[in-house]
Amino acid sequence: MSNILVLGVGPLPVDNAARLHAPGMRTWQIAKLLANRRHEVCVGLINFGEFTSKSAEKNTAHMEEAGPNIRLYHLNYDEVNSPAALATLHNHMDFECCISTTDIMNSVAADIPLHIPLWLDYNGDPFAEKQLQGNVHENDDTLLKQWRMYLKGLACGDRFSTATQPQKNALIGQLGFAGRLNEFTCGEELVFSIPNCSRAVRDMGLPRNFQVKGGYIPSESFMVLWSGGYNTWCDPETLFYALERAMRENPSIYFVSTGGAIEGHDTLSFKKFEDLALASDLNGRFRFLGWRDSEEIPAFYRQADATIVTDRFSYEGELGARTRLNDWLDFGIPIICTEQCELTRELVERDLVHSHKAGDVDGLVAAILKVAAGGSEIKNKTKAAQAYFDKNYAEERVFAPMLAWAETPQFAGDRREDIVAGKAVTGSHTDSQLTHMLGEMLTGSTSPSGGISVLHRVWKRLKRGA
């Protein structure tokens, strides 16, 4: 069995943190699946929001046991020192490969001064996410930095995975841009779609029981639950106006929210929704319970009569995923959602969820009222959705490509030792030249011809609005 370095972002489900995000669930799922196959797994971990030098100063890097065959190495983030620290760790542990997830940790993996096989997982398209973030904050300054970071992974990965098939197609195009679709990789399958399928909430152990109904809301109410962050992709206006109208037509409907603003990423989307709800004459039926300890979440799921998530149209939604849907399917709760991401489209095609189009308030009102009316159709649809998820999103089946690669990790054709050595000697490989050229374009440094790089000039003009 292999000795594997897994890189990711915490907190992890085992941490019982108040804020559990998709990257931590993905990291832990990868680590556990590998450990279950008797690989020795060391997880290099940086917690969500701790990607600045100031946050790194607060913590001391340390190692701890996290279960059979899994050790956690809590790492301080530093663009230069983190890769060096992982290289030192490799000297002690002799990793046979590295599997990394998230764009920032994939950048760290690419910078480790080692030549070992790399599997880089991108759980969502970074540029589509940055587009939304730029829109929410009215600032595109992070786009150039994102390209610089992303190009490292594109140039150095041996295998790649994505959250959806549409994102896989996008990533293949990005690899072509980076010069990785070349003579040496021809015929190799470099990119795999590995959808989110975590059962982390169900598997947390003994959950904390308490009454939501009869405690926070009336015991006879119809509870519509939002769980998780209000991210840049959510549509606070459509969510509020639909809920308010549905509440006026059906007095039993109450909205319960766990989660909220995402510090360091998006606090504005939640505030917009909360302000609308608190200004309503029905504000007593909107209950904001904030971020909860992970062990409390199952109690909310068991008492919810319906779950809800609303997207505005975005390419992030077209390419990405909604991880919270996995939990709702796993717990067998009726789902009201926007028909946008791959999983929602898949479920809508099979008539397994209650959907609406992006921005369609009338459609969302109708979906809420239909589910609140109840009946055998709703129950049967929910059971069928749960069965579909269990059958088609079994973890071992979904992660089979990654698990098979981990048994015998391989370099991509253009990263084999003999090819790399040949490039170093001749300096003539077109792929290497192209990647170097793109790197120069993205640095904003002086180009070989003596002028400022083309891409940097374009970016400056875009920022000026020229």
Side-chain angles (χ1 to χ4, degrees):
M1 296 294 105
S2 301
N3 196 17
I4 300 175
L5 173 65
V6 171
L7 298 181
V9 174
L12 304 176
V14 291
D15 295 330
N16 190 31
R19 303 189 182 193
L20 183 60
H21 301 286
M25 297 175 75
R26 186 83 158 183
T27 303
W28 183 243
Q29 186 175 25
I30 291 170
K32 278 203 71 177
L33 287 169
L34 292 169
N36 289 343
R37 292 204 166 199
R38 306 185 66 82
H39 296 294
E40 291 295 328
V41 179
C42 178
V43 182
L45 197 68
I46 299 173
N47 275 349
F48 190 88
E50 294 184 356
F51 289 95
T52 65
S53 56
K54 288 185 177 180
S55 62
E57 292 169 2
K58 301 176 185 177
N59 306 301
T60 302
H62 62 282
M63 184 85 76
E64 64 179 270
E65 298 292 328
N69 303 330
I70 302 178
R71 282 180 283 186
L72 303 182
Y73 180 60
H74 292 271
L75 191 65
N76 295 331
Y77 177 73
D78 182 273
E79 191 172 352
V80 175
N81 293 331
S82 294
L86 291 168
T88 301
L89 186 64
H90 169 74
N91 291 337
H92 293 284
M93 303 191 71
D94 193 24
F95 299 117
E96 294 173 53
C97 66
C98 172
I99 298 176
S100 177
T101 183
T102 74
D103 54 346
I104 194 164
M105 294 307 284
N106 293 349
S107 174
V108 170
D111 280 339
I112 300 173
L114 300 170
H115 190 60
I116 60 174
L118 298 180
W119 183 299
L120 304 182
D121 175 68
Y122 291 95
N123 190 23
D125 184 83
F127 300 107
E129 292 171 359
K130 287 297 180 185
Q131 182 185 40
L132 279 176
Q133 198 172 2
N135 176 256
V136 168
H137 296 286
E138 300 180 352
N139 190 320
D140 276 335
D141 283 351
T142 59
L143 284 176
L144 185 58
K145 181 180 179 182
Q146 182 67 61
W147 258 119
R148 291 171 180 162
M149 179 189 298
Y150 196 48
L151 184 62
K152 293 179 184 179
L154 293 178
C156 295
D158 296 294
R159 293 294 184 271
F160 301 85
S161 50
T162 63
T164 66
Q165 183 66 39
Q167 190 199 348
K168 172 184 173 178
N169 297 338
L171 182 53
I172 292 170
Q174 292 157 357
L175 287 170
F177 174 76
R180 296 300 306 281
L181 305 186
N182 54 59
E183 62 178 303
F184 299 104
T185 59
C186 186
E188 292 186 6
E189 190 171 5
L190 299 175
V191 189
F192 298 84
S193 171
I194 299 183
N196 289 292
C197 57
S198 172
R199 273 74 168 176
V201 174
R202 183 189 65 187
D203 296 340
M204 278 177 184
L206 188 64
R208 185 183 302 169
N209 289 312
F210 62 92
Q211 291 303 117
V212 183
K213 289 185 174 184
Y216 295 102
I217 60 176
S219 56
E220 70 279 5
S221 60
F222 183 87
M223 174 177 159
V224 179
L225 176 68
W226 175 289
S227 63
Y230 290 71
N231 212 325
T232 54
W233 45 258
C234 84
D235 185 345
E237 291 95 344
T238 297
L239 177 63
F240 167 72
Y241 290 117
L243 281 167
E244 187 184 50
R245 277 178 50 187
M247 286 175 177
R248 293 193 191 283
E249 292 195 37
N250 185 334
S252 71
I253 294 175
Y254 277 72
F255 174 78
V256 174
S257 170
T258 66
I262 306 173
E263 296 294 336
H265 180 70
D266 178 14
T267 59
L268 299 178
S269 297
F270 173 70
K271 186 178 188 308
K272 184 179 291 185
F273 176 72
E274 185 182 40
D275 287 348
L276 287 168
L278 295 180
S280 170
D281 61 314
L282 299 178
N283 56 38
R285 289 161 67 184
F286 290 86
R287 299 305 309 270
F288 295 98
L289 304 184
W291 291 96
R292 315 293 295 194
D293 287 345
S294 301
E295 63 184 16
E296 293 183 356
I297 297 302
F300 285 90
Y301 288 164
R302 283 195 297 270
Q303 295 173 68
D305 297 294
T307 50
I308 193 167
V309 62
T310 56
D311 279 64
R312 54 179 172 144
F313 172 79
S314 68
Y315 286 119
E316 191 281 334
E318 293 279 324
L319 298 174
R322 297 291 170 262
T323 308
R324 64 195 73 188
L325 293 175
N326 301 339
D327 294 332
W328 301 344
L329 288 165
D330 198 29
F331 275 78
I333 318 167
I335 294 173
I336 303 167
C337 61
T338 310
E339 183 183 347
Q340 175 135 293
C341 74
E342 181 180 56
L343 179 57
T344 59
R345 291 182 186 278
E346 192 176 317
L347 295 170
V348 168
E349 287 174 2
R350 291 159 178 80
D351 193 26
L352 297 176
V353 293
H354 310 272
S355 66
H356 65 99
K357 300 292 185 181
D360 181 7
V361 175
D362 292 341
L364 182 53
V365 171
I368 295 170
L369 292 174
K370 181 177 181 180
V371 177
S376 59
E377 179 188 350
I378 305 300
K379 292 179 181 178
N380 292 339
K381 184 179 290 192
T382 303
K383 288 181 180 177
Q386 186 179 36
Y388 179 82
F389 181 69
D390 285 343
K391 178 181 177 182
N392 294 281
Y393 286 82
E395 292 178 299
E396 290 277 344
R397 172 180 173 177
V398 170
F399 277 84
M402 180 186 289
L403 296 174
W405 181 86
E407 295 294 330
T408 54
Q410 301 289 326
F411 289 107
D414 57 353
R415 291 221 327 130
R416 297 198 315 263
E417 295 281 359
D418 58 324
I419 301 299
V420 172
K423 286 191 289 185
V425 172
T426 65
S428 62
H429 187 39
T430 304
D431 165 41
S432 177
Q433 292 175 346
L434 177 58
T435 303
H436 178 70
M437 180 191 75
L438 290 172
E440 286 188 340
M441 289 172 66
L442 292 167
T443 61
S445 61
T446 302
S447 68
S449 62
I452 300 300
S453 69
V454 175
L455 188 56
H456 189 64
R457 289 203 305 270
V458 171
W459 229 284
K460 288 178 70 175
R461 289 189 64 188
L462 287 173
K463 288 180 66 177
R464 289 199 306 266

